[in-house]
């Protein structure tokens, strides 16, 4: 069974310096950072992917934490810029700077790629038709 407390701890570990992360988040959104919101969003992503309220036991706490971190990055990156920073390069000699930005779709695809290894647990529902034999 999924332990959301362990997932929350792993998510907070991914944030790094919690005091700084909480300060930056508060400065950005004018509210306290609540890790439970991101864990619940990650669990919702899992439920949607699997097509069931029950998340398979094979899904690890760190998988949920990874998804929660992506959701966090989506929120913070989109607040700073229309799209999140994907890569940044800088050279000194003749001063050159290059930035590339990730789209929301790319980050959503990253979530699906994380869950793809659990695809065998997806619930497939078909449409049941009523056959009338006349």
């Amino acid at each position: 069974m999924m332990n959301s407390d362990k997932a929350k701890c792993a998510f907070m570990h991914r944030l790094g310096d919690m005091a700084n992360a909480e300060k930056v988040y508060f400065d950005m959104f004018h509210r306290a950072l609540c890790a439970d919101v991101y864990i619940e969003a990650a669990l919702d992503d899992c439920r949607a992917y699997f097509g069931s309220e029950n998340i398979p036991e094979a899904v690890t706490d760190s998988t949920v934490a990874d998804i929660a971190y992506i959701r966090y990055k989506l929120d913070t990156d989109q607040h700073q810029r229309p799209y999140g920073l994907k890569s940044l390069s800088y050279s000194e000699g003749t001063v050159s700077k290059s930035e590339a930005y990730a789209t929301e779709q790319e980050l959503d695809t990253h979530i699906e790629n994380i869950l793809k290894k659990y695809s065998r647990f997806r619930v497939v529902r078909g449409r049941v038709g009523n056959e009338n034999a006349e």
Side-chain angles (χ1 to χ4, degrees):
M1 182 78 184
M2 171 61 55
N3 185 335
S4 59
D5 288 334
K6 286 184 180 178
K8 180 179 170 182
C9 184
F11 166 70
M12 291 173 20
H13 186 284
R14 282 163 180 72
L15 293 176
D17 179 9
M18 274 307 293
N20 186 47
E22 288 173 340
K23 180 191 178 316
V24 168
Y25 189 87
F26 187 82
D27 290 346
M28 233 183 268
F29 297 105
H30 307 290
R31 66 177 184 259
L33 170 63
C34 181
D36 292 326
V37 169
Y38 291 102
I39 295 299
E40 194 55 41
L43 293 172
D44 287 343
D45 285 335
C46 291
R47 290 180 191 110
Y49 181 80
F50 294 114
S52 172
E53 283 296 312
N54 299 321
I55 297 170
E57 290 184 26
V59 177
T60 63
D61 303 326
S62 63
T63 298
V64 173
D66 289 341
I67 296 169
Y69 185 71
I70 292 169
R71 287 285 166 212
Y72 168 82
K73 292 300 288 176
L74 271 169
D75 281 354
T76 57
D77 289 348
Q78 287 179 353
H79 190 269
Q80 291 174 347
R81 295 197 170 135
Y83 300 102
L85 186 63
K86 184 176 179 179
S87 68
L88 172 71
S89 62
Y90 178 83
S91 26
E92 289 260 339
T94 56
V95 183
S96 173
K97 183 178 178 181
S98 173
E99 295 177 346
Y101 296 91
T103 64
E104 183 176 351
Q105 184 179 6
E106 287 176 317
L107 293 171
D108 285 338
T109 301
H110 190 62
I111 291 172
E112 188 168 335
N113 288 338
I114 289 171
L115 291 170
K116 199 173 272 186
K117 64 183 174 187
Y118 302 106
S119 65
R120 67 176 174 251
F121 298 106
R122 291 182 91 171
V123 175
V124 179
R125 290 190 173 91
R127 184 175 164 206
V128 178
N130 228 355
E131 292 185 21
N132 292 331
E134 288 191 42

